[in-house]
């Protein structure tokens, strides 16, 4: 077992700066680097296919820049390089997070016919005004060409969640500069803006959200990932979403393990659901919180037809909508019932951008992936099980997913690599004869087996933590209570405050679903945990028809 340090890491911040790192609203914006100058870019779309033209929209204080493009997979492969590309500073609207930057295209290039599907990392470098280089990073996806691809896996990047957490320009679905007092999160976020710092590349020592500290009792919570972000100039949300923190780790692992793996965006799933047809196995990983109705339709139909969905991800929570040909994502979230046009203008309330568990939507998350966030959520940070299990407690070790792991009933899967957290998905369940079963009212699909269950919380425990030191508080718990039971009363909060995270498996139609419901499963792949790697391979091998 890993011996955890008992002291929080020190990134050189004062107590006031540490508080601002967690409580404050800081973000990337044009002009933030002042006299040094800066360069930013975005592409016109999230994903392309071979032969497509990519338009890069660049705003730079330097008159020229150089650019390299690297395929970021099991190995890094340079596919493109060019220097002395002309650029200029382009004005940016105040509400660019919601409206888009509106920059003119600065450079175009064609995706090579020999560029394999995957993530392509763009690095722009120019001269800063102080003589030192300035840089920015971007990532785009090359999606696969149509056609049958036996033996290959399709990974679907959680781009809806990337969009929701992107802090560039000041607003996302969490904090923002919208509203009359410029202090509200934005229910609308645009794809037409750069990714925030830390979404594309990160150093290996960047902290993840779950605490790697043995927290003494009665300790005021600390959030090392946010402290590190403020200290190093990264986005406050770098550890909550993005290619660098989550999706990349599965893609690299799969290629290094010898699997053929292609990559698509959730936008591809929404607008071109037939992209799934070439594959026997589709994989979803990391922090995967925002989905549209159409994305779920695509996965449900795919599995019904006899294919397989493997989700190593957590926090299946919000229905979103895409507008303006996918350039805008809409999710009103906590304000949906008071502000979403789906409620207010006689619209289709089933498409309301609320929690999937809202009764009026009528499509609980568990219907697609077996689990949902409203019965799961926080573990391993703040006042939510900060000293709890770091891995999944296993109840059914005889299941095929655990073959070759040597794991026993009651063992923890992935504890050494901390795969359990920071947000997990669960179900209402009961124990009979020492084994967990979904309750009759849980919404679990028929035939669902619960393989592992850990504890989580919807509410930050407050007995030893002053309210001013709580980050998570009980707001999410009260929202869940109102969503499920009609009002956020103490009595209803009591019904939902205790959550769980599960690993489940169930058949659907002619196909099958496996779901390890934790954001941090990829940490086990990043940290090369043999048990986590073995389970991941067992699932992929079975779903590719190898076993």
């Amino acid at each position: 077992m890993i011996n955890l340090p008992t002291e929080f890491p020190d990134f050189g911040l004062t107590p006031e700066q540490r508080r601002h790192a967690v409580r404050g609203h800081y973000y990337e914006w044009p002009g933030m680097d002042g006299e040094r100058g800066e360069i930013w870019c975005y592409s016109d779309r999230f994903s392309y296919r071979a032969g497509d033209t990519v338009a890069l929209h660049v705003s730079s204080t330097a008159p020229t820049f150089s650019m390299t493009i690297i395929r970021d997979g099991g190995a890094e492969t340079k596919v493109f390089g060019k220097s002395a590309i002309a650029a200029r500073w382009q004005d940016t609207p105040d509400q660019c997070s919601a409206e888009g930057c509106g920059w003119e295209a600065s450079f175009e290039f064609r995706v090579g016919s020999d560029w394999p599907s995957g993530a392509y990392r763009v690095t722009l470098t120019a001269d800063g005004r102080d003589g030192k280089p300035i840089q920015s990073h971007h990532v785009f996806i090359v999606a696969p060409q149509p056609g049958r691809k036996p033996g290959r896996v399709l990974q679907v990047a959680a781009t809806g969640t990337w969009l929701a957490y992107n802090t560039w320009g000041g607003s996302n679905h969490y904090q923002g500069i919208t509203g009359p007092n410029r202090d509200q999160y934005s229910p609308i976020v645009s794809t037409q803006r750069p990714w925030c710092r830390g979404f594309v590349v990160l150093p290996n020592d960047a902290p993840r959200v779950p605490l790697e500290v043995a927290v003494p009792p009665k300790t005021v919570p600390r959030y090392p990932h946010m402290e590190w972000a403020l200290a190093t100039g990264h986005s406050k949300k770098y550890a909550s979403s993005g290619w660098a923190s989550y999706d990349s780790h599965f893609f690299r692992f799969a290629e290094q393990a010898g699997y053929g793996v292609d990559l698509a965006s959730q936008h591809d799933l929404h607008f071109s659901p037939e992209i799934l047809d070439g594959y026997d196995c589709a994989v979803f990983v990391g922090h995967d919180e925002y989905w549209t109705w159409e994305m779920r339709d695509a996965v449900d139909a795919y599995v019904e037809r006899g294919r397989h969905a493997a989700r190593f991800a957590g926090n299946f929570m919000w229905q979103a909508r895409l507008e303006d040909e996918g350039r805008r994502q809409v999710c009103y979230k906590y304000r949906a019932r008071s502000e979403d046009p789906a409620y207010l203008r006689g619209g289709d309330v089933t498409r309301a951008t609320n929690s999937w568990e809202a009764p009026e939507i009528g499509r609980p998350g568990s219907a697609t992936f077996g689990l949902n966030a409203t019965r799961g959520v926080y573990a391993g940070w703040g006042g939510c099980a900060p000293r709890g299990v770091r891995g999944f407690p296993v109840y059914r070790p005889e299941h095929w997913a655990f073959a070759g792991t040597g794991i026993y009933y009651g063992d923890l899967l992935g504890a050494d690599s901390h795969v359990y957290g920071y947000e997990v998905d669960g179900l209402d369940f009961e124990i009979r004869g020492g084994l967990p079963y979904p309750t009759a009212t849980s919404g679990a699909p028929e035939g669902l087996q619960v393989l592992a269950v850990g504890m989580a919380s919807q509410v930050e425990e407050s007995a030893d933590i002053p309210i001013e030191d709580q980050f998570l508080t009980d707001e999410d718990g009260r929202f869940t209570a109102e969503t499920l039971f009609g009002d956020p009363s103490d009595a209803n909060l009591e019904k939902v405050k205790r959550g769980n995270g599960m690993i489940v498996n169930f058949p659907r139609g002619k196909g099958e679903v496996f779901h390890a419901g934790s954001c941090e499963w990829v940490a086990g792949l990043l940290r090369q945990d043999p048990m986590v790697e073995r389970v991941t391979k067992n699932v992929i091998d079975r779903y590719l028809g190898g076993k």
Side-chain angles (χ1 to χ4, degrees):
M1 298 293 289
I2 293 173
N3 291 318
L4 297 175
T6 55
E7 301 273 330
F8 287 104
D10 183 358
F11 302 113
L13 301 180
T14 66
E16 292 76 18
Q17 288 172 322
R18 289 203 306 263
R19 188 169 186 82
H20 177 64
V22 178
R23 302 285 173 174
H25 181 39
Y26 49 100
Y27 49 89
E28 300 81 355
W29 47 276
M32 65 181 294
D33 290 343
E35 286 303 310
R36 281 209 65 221
E38 59 206 55
I39 184 169
W40 305 102
C41 94
Y42 61 92
S43 53
D44 57 327
R45 286 163 30 206
F46 280 170
S47 67
Y48 305 85
R49 286 182 170 167
D52 286 351
T53 296
V54 179
L56 282 186
H57 302 252
V58 180
S59 181
S60 172
T61 53
T64 63
F65 66 94
S66 61
M67 182 173 75
T68 59
I69 303 177
I70 290 172
R71 184 181 183 275
D72 188 1
E76 292 191 351
T77 308
K78 183 177 176 180
V79 299
F80 186 88
K82 189 173 175 60
S83 57
I85 305 170
R88 64 183 177 86
W89 187 253
Q90 304 204 49
D91 290 338
T92 307
D94 174 65
Q95 295 296 323
C96 60
S97 305
E99 300 168 4
C101 289
W103 301 341
E104 292 181 2
S106 308
F107 183 70
E108 295 184 349
F109 61 91
R110 182 161 292 188
V111 177
S113 59
D114 58 342
W115 294 16
S117 176
Y120 286 77
R121 205 171 68 216
V122 183
T123 301
L124 278 60
T125 305
D127 293 329
R129 294 179 180 130
D130 58 1
K132 297 176 183 177
I134 52 176
Q135 270 194 339
S136 67
H137 301 280
H138 183 62
V139 65
F140 65 90
I141 291 168
V142 173
Q145 296 285 20
R148 188 84 180 99
K149 298 174 185 66
R152 295 187 70 81
V153 174
L154 181 67
Q155 179 180 340
V156 180
T159 46
T161 304
W162 299 4
L163 256 182
Y165 282 87
N166 184 14
T167 51
W168 203 95
S171 296
N172 58 18
H173 287 337
Y174 293 84
Q175 288 180 286
I177 56 172
T178 65
N181 299 319
R182 295 177 60 82
D183 61 355
Q184 293 181 4
Y185 69 81
S186 178
I188 300 169
V189 290
S190 174
T191 65
Q192 304 299 293
R193 55 179 171 145
W195 292 118
C196 56
R197 288 172 173 164
F199 269 31
V200 181
V201 290
L202 282 171
N204 291 331
D205 61 354
R208 301 189 70 78
V209 178
L211 288 173
E212 304 302 334
V213 177
V215 184
K218 300 190 177 182
T219 300
V220 172
R222 293 267 297 274
Y223 302 87
H225 67 288
M226 288 189 263
E227 294 179 20
W228 180 87
L230 185 67
T232 60
H234 286 79
S235 169
K236 182 179 182 177
K237 296 298 188 183
Y238 84 87
S240 298
S241 189
W243 171 253
S245 280
Y246 291 99
D247 310 71
S248 63
H249 300 311
F250 178 89
F251 195 83
R252 292 179 194 139
F253 159 79
E255 288 205 332
Q256 290 168 357
Y259 293 101
V261 55
D262 296 327
L263 189 68
S265 71
Q266 282 185 307
H267 274 59
D268 293 315
L269 202 62
H270 178 100
F271 291 109
S272 306
E274 68 279 1
I275 199 167
L276 292 169
D277 292 345
Y279 301 86
D280 291 316
C281 177
V283 173
F284 309 85
V285 304
H287 191 183
D288 189 23
E289 187 175 358
Y290 292 80
W291 281 62
T292 66
W293 188 280
E294 291 81 1
M295 294 170 193
R296 289 188 63 180
D297 279 351
V299 173
D300 288 348
Y302 168 77
V303 176
E304 287 275 353
R305 292 195 300 268
R307 305 296 172 78
H308 308 91
R311 188 171 191 262
F312 304 99
N315 199 16
F316 196 68
M317 181 69 180
W318 301 106
Q319 174 166 221
R321 293 192 302 268
L322 296 181
E323 296 179 352
D324 189 23
E325 299 178 315
R327 286 184 283 267
R328 275 198 307 267
Q329 176 171 286
V330 179
C331 194
Y332 283 86
K333 298 177 62 175
Y334 308 104
R335 297 170 7 213
R337 285 177 176 164
S338 61
E339 296 183 24
D340 191 336
Y343 289 102
L344 303 179
R345 299 175 191 162
D348 182 357
V349 76
T350 65
R351 305 302 175 94
T353 57
N354 202 334
S355 163
W356 285 112
E357 275 60 58
E360 60 270 26
I361 291 176
R363 196 177 189 182
S366 58
T368 293
F369 287 118
L371 303 173
N372 62 66
T374 51
R375 287 299 183 180
V377 113
Y378 303 120
W381 65 310
C384 294
R387 291 171 288 275
V389 294
R390 295 161 53 88
F392 280 98
V394 172
Y395 281 83
R396 289 184 166 89
E398 71 283 356
H399 189 270
W400 56 260
F402 303 132
T405 62
I407 206 163
Y408 291 83
Y409 175 89
D411 281 356
L412 294 177
L413 170 65
D416 286 354
S417 56
H418 206 162
V419 302
Y420 189 81
Y422 71 99
E423 292 175 333
V424 296
D425 287 344
L427 280 176
D428 197 25
F429 73 101
E430 58 194 11
I431 296 287
R432 301 199 303 267
L435 292 173
Y437 296 87
T439 61
T441 57
S442 67
E446 189 174 350
L448 179 138
Q449 269 197 312
V450 180
L451 313 182
V453 185
M455 297 163 73
S457 180
Q458 293 254 14
V459 170
E460 190 161 21
E461 298 290 349
S462 57
D464 301 314
I465 305 174
I467 188 68
E468 64 270 17
D469 291 320
Q470 293 181 38
F471 175 65
L472 300 167
T473 69
D474 65 359
E475 288 179 2
D476 283 327
R478 294 206 183 264
F479 173 75
T480 298
E482 183 175 21
T483 299
L484 297 182
F485 301 111
D487 75 74
S489 65
D490 288 351
N492 286 336
L493 180 65
E494 191 68 19
K495 298 175 187 175
V496 302
K497 65 187 284 188
R498 301 169 191 88
N500 61 82
M502 291 180 171
I503 301 176
V504 298
N505 174 224
F506 61 96
R508 162 170 292 121
K510 298 176 181 177
E512 190 175 329
V513 176
F514 178 92
H515 186 181
S518 170
C519 292
E520 288 295 301
W521 186 269
V522 293
L525 305 179
L526 169 66
R527 293 164 178 163
Q528 298 181 310
D529 186 318
M531 273 192 185
V532 176
E533 291 183 343
R534 181 70 264 160
V535 173
T536 306
K537 290 177 180 178
N538 286 347
V539 175
I540 297 172
D541 290 345
R542 177 182 174 94
Y543 285 180
L544 290 178
K547 292 182 182 178

mmCIF file of all heavy atoms in Angstrom, residues 25 27 93-95 169-171 175-185:
data_model
loop_
_atom_site.group_PDB
_atom_site.id
_atom_site.type_symbol
_atom_site.label_atom_id
_atom_site.label_comp_id
_atom_site.label_asym_id
_atom_site.label_seq_id
_atom_site.Cartn_x
_atom_site.Cartn_y
_atom_site.Cartn_z
ATOM 1 N N HIS A 25 -12.633 33.641 -8.749
ATOM 2 C CA HIS A 25 -12.918 33.340 -10.159
ATOM 3 C C HIS A 25 -11.790 33.953 -10.993
ATOM 4 O O HIS A 25 -11.696 35.169 -11.137
ATOM 5 C CB HIS A 25 -14.271 33.929 -10.562
ATOM 6 C CG HIS A 25 -14.637 33.628 -11.987
ATOM 7 N ND1 HIS A 25 -14.380 32.398 -12.575
ATOM 8 C CD2 HIS A 25 -15.227 34.388 -12.951
ATOM 9 C CE1 HIS A 25 -14.794 32.419 -13.831
ATOM 10 N NE2 HIS A 25 -15.309 33.613 -14.083
ATOM 11 N N TYR A 27 -9.407 33.310 -14.677
ATOM 12 C CA TYR A 27 -9.621 32.669 -15.977
ATOM 13 C C TYR A 27 -8.689 33.296 -17.005
ATOM 14 O O TYR A 27 -7.999 34.299 -16.726
ATOM 15 C CB TYR A 27 -11.084 32.834 -16.411
ATOM 16 C CG TYR A 27 -11.601 34.246 -16.313
ATOM 17 C CD1 TYR A 27 -11.473 35.144 -17.371
ATOM 18 C CD2 TYR A 27 -12.227 34.703 -15.145
ATOM 19 C CE1 TYR A 27 -11.938 36.453 -17.272
ATOM 20 C CE2 TYR A 27 -12.692 36.000 -15.032
ATOM 21 C CZ TYR A 27 -12.550 36.872 -16.101
ATOM 22 O OH TYR A 27 -13.004 38.169 -16.011
ATOM 23 N N PRO A 93 -14.887 39.815 -28.336
ATOM 24 C CA PRO A 93 -16.053 40.312 -27.596
ATOM 25 C C PRO A 93 -15.963 39.992 -26.108
ATOM 26 O O PRO A 93 -15.392 38.963 -25.717
ATOM 27 C CB PRO A 93 -17.227 39.560 -28.243
ATOM 28 C CG PRO A 93 -16.707 38.990 -29.512
ATOM 29 C CD PRO A 93 -15.241 38.812 -29.346
ATOM 30 N N ASP A 94 -16.530 40.853 -25.305
ATOM 31 C CA ASP A 94 -16.520 40.654 -23.859
ATOM 32 C C ASP A 94 -17.133 39.301 -23.488
ATOM 33 O O ASP A 94 -16.625 38.593 -22.617
ATOM 34 C CB ASP A 94 -17.291 41.792 -23.178
ATOM 35 C CG ASP A 94 -17.431 41.568 -21.680
ATOM 36 O OD1 ASP A 94 -16.402 41.568 -20.993
ATOM 37 O OD2 ASP A 94 -18.572 41.367 -21.205
ATOM 38 N N GLN A 95 -18.231 38.929 -24.130
ATOM 39 C CA GLN A 95 -18.922 37.682 -23.804
ATOM 40 C C GLN A 95 -18.548 36.561 -24.790
ATOM 41 O O GLN A 95 -19.391 35.760 -25.200
ATOM 42 C CB GLN A 95 -20.435 37.909 -23.785
ATOM 43 C CG GLN A 95 -20.895 38.850 -22.690
ATOM 44 C CD GLN A 95 -20.626 38.309 -21.289
ATOM 45 O OE1 GLN A 95 -20.743 37.121 -21.044
ATOM 46 N NE2 GLN A 95 -20.252 39.201 -20.375
ATOM 47 N N GLY A 169 -12.025 33.027 -21.538
ATOM 48 C CA GLY A 169 -12.953 34.121 -21.803
ATOM 49 C C GLY A 169 -13.789 34.524 -20.617
ATOM 50 O O GLY A 169 -14.465 35.555 -20.651
ATOM 51 N N GLY A 170 -13.782 33.706 -19.540
ATOM 52 C CA GLY A 170 -14.418 34.143 -18.304
ATOM 53 C C GLY A 170 -15.643 33.393 -17.849
ATOM 54 O O GLY A 170 -16.029 33.488 -16.689
ATOM 55 N N SER A 171 -16.312 32.657 -18.758
ATOM 56 C CA SER A 171 -17.548 31.989 -18.350
ATOM 57 C C SER A 171 -17.560 30.539 -18.819
ATOM 58 O O SER A 171 -17.093 30.222 -19.917
ATOM 59 C CB SER A 171 -18.785 32.694 -18.927
ATOM 60 O OG SER A 171 -18.914 34.000 -18.407
ATOM 61 N N GLN A 175 -18.777 28.931 -13.361
ATOM 62 C CA GLN A 175 -18.591 30.308 -12.910
ATOM 63 C C GLN A 175 -18.613 31.196 -14.148
ATOM 64 O O GLN A 175 -18.536 30.697 -15.273
ATOM 65 C CB GLN A 175 -17.242 30.467 -12.191
ATOM 66 C CG GLN A 175 -17.196 29.824 -10.819
ATOM 67 C CD GLN A 175 -15.836 30.014 -10.160
ATOM 68 O OE1 GLN A 175 -14.867 29.375 -10.529
ATOM 69 N NE2 GLN A 175 -15.766 30.900 -9.167
ATOM 70 N N GLY A 176 -18.732 32.512 -13.934
ATOM 71 C CA GLY A 176 -18.769 33.320 -15.133
ATOM 72 C C GLY A 176 -18.816 34.800 -14.889
ATOM 73 O O GLY A 176 -18.822 35.288 -13.756
ATOM 74 N N ILE A 177 -18.885 35.514 -16.021
ATOM 75 C CA ILE A 177 -18.984 36.981 -16.024
ATOM 76 C C ILE A 177 -20.255 37.392 -16.764
ATOM 77 O O ILE A 177 -20.313 38.443 -17.381
ATOM 78 C CB ILE A 177 -17.736 37.623 -16.646
ATOM 79 C CG1 ILE A 177 -17.482 37.103 -18.069
ATOM 80 C CG2 ILE A 177 -16.514 37.389 -15.762
ATOM 81 C CD1 ILE A 177 -16.382 37.840 -18.827
ATOM 82 N N THR A 178 -21.282 36.542 -16.706
ATOM 83 C CA THR A 178 -22.565 36.873 -17.315
ATOM 84 C C THR A 178 -23.529 37.351 -16.228
ATOM 85 O O THR A 178 -23.235 37.290 -15.038
ATOM 86 C CB THR A 178 -23.159 35.655 -18.055
ATOM 87 O OG1 THR A 178 -23.461 34.622 -17.108
ATOM 88 C CG2 THR A 178 -22.190 35.101 -19.084
ATOM 89 N N GLY A 179 -24.699 37.821 -16.668
ATOM 90 C CA GLY A 179 -25.701 38.320 -15.734
ATOM 91 C C GLY A 179 -25.490 39.789 -15.420
ATOM 92 O O GLY A 179 -24.454 40.374 -15.746
ATOM 93 N N PRO A 180 -26.470 40.408 -14.770
ATOM 94 C CA PRO A 180 -26.423 41.858 -14.517
ATOM 95 C C PRO A 180 -25.228 42.283 -13.668
ATOM 96 O O PRO A 180 -24.740 43.398 -13.806
ATOM 97 C CB PRO A 180 -27.752 42.145 -13.804
ATOM 98 C CG PRO A 180 -28.244 40.815 -13.322
ATOM 99 C CD PRO A 180 -27.720 39.798 -14.275
ATOM 100 N N ASN A 181 -24.757 41.399 -12.788
ATOM 101 C CA ASN A 181 -23.614 41.734 -11.931
ATOM 102 C C ASN A 181 -22.324 41.072 -12.390
ATOM 103 O O ASN A 181 -21.333 41.072 -11.661
ATOM 104 C CB ASN A 181 -23.910 41.337 -10.481
ATOM 105 C CG ASN A 181 -25.106 42.068 -9.926
ATOM 106 O OD1 ASN A 181 -25.275 43.262 -10.178
ATOM 107 N ND2 ASN A 181 -25.943 41.359 -9.186
ATOM 108 N N ARG A 182 -22.361 40.462 -13.585
ATOM 109 C CA ARG A 182 -21.182 39.780 -14.143
ATOM 110 C C ARG A 182 -20.608 38.736 -13.181
ATOM 111 O O ARG A 182 -19.388 38.633 -13.008
ATOM 112 C CB ARG A 182 -20.097 40.795 -14.522
ATOM 113 C CG ARG A 182 -20.503 41.738 -15.639
ATOM 114 C CD ARG A 182 -19.436 42.775 -15.922
ATOM 115 N NE ARG A 182 -18.160 42.179 -16.335
ATOM 116 C CZ ARG A 182 -17.864 41.770 -17.569
ATOM 117 N NH1 ARG A 182 -18.770 41.891 -18.536
ATOM 118 N NH2 ARG A 182 -16.683 41.262 -17.852
ATOM 119 N N ASP A 183 -21.505 37.971 -12.556
ATOM 120 C CA ASP A 183 -21.033 36.978 -11.593
ATOM 121 C C ASP A 183 -21.755 35.633 -11.724
ATOM 122 O O ASP A 183 -21.714 34.813 -10.806
ATOM 123 C CB ASP A 183 -21.201 37.515 -10.166
ATOM 124 C CG ASP A 183 -22.658 37.810 -9.812
ATOM 125 O OD1 ASP A 183 -23.546 37.701 -10.695
ATOM 126 O OD2 ASP A 183 -22.917 38.172 -8.637
ATOM 127 N N GLN A 184 -22.404 35.410 -12.860
ATOM 128 C CA GLN A 184 -23.158 34.171 -13.044
ATOM 129 C C GLN A 184 -22.458 33.244 -14.041
ATOM 130 O O GLN A 184 -21.791 33.702 -14.966
ATOM 131 C CB GLN A 184 -24.563 34.471 -13.558
ATOM 132 C CG GLN A 184 -25.445 35.194 -12.560
ATOM 133 C CD GLN A 184 -26.846 35.435 -13.128
ATOM 134 O OE1 GLN A 184 -27.170 34.996 -14.220
ATOM 135 N NE2 GLN A 184 -27.671 36.137 -12.366
ATOM 136 N N TYR A 185 -22.652 31.929 -13.821
ATOM 137 C CA TYR A 185 -22.211 30.981 -14.848
ATOM 138 C C TYR A 185 -23.055 31.164 -16.089
ATOM 139 O O TYR A 185 -24.186 31.668 -16.031
ATOM 140 C CB TYR A 185 -22.269 29.542 -14.336
ATOM 141 C CG TYR A 185 -23.644 28.946 -14.097
ATOM 142 C CD1 TYR A 185 -24.403 28.425 -15.155
ATOM 143 C CD2 TYR A 185 -24.177 28.849 -12.813
ATOM 144 C CE1 TYR A 185 -25.646 27.848 -14.939
ATOM 145 C CE2 TYR A 185 -25.421 28.274 -12.580
ATOM 146 C CZ TYR A 185 -26.151 27.781 -13.652
ATOM 147 O OH TYR A 185 -27.391 27.198 -13.431
#
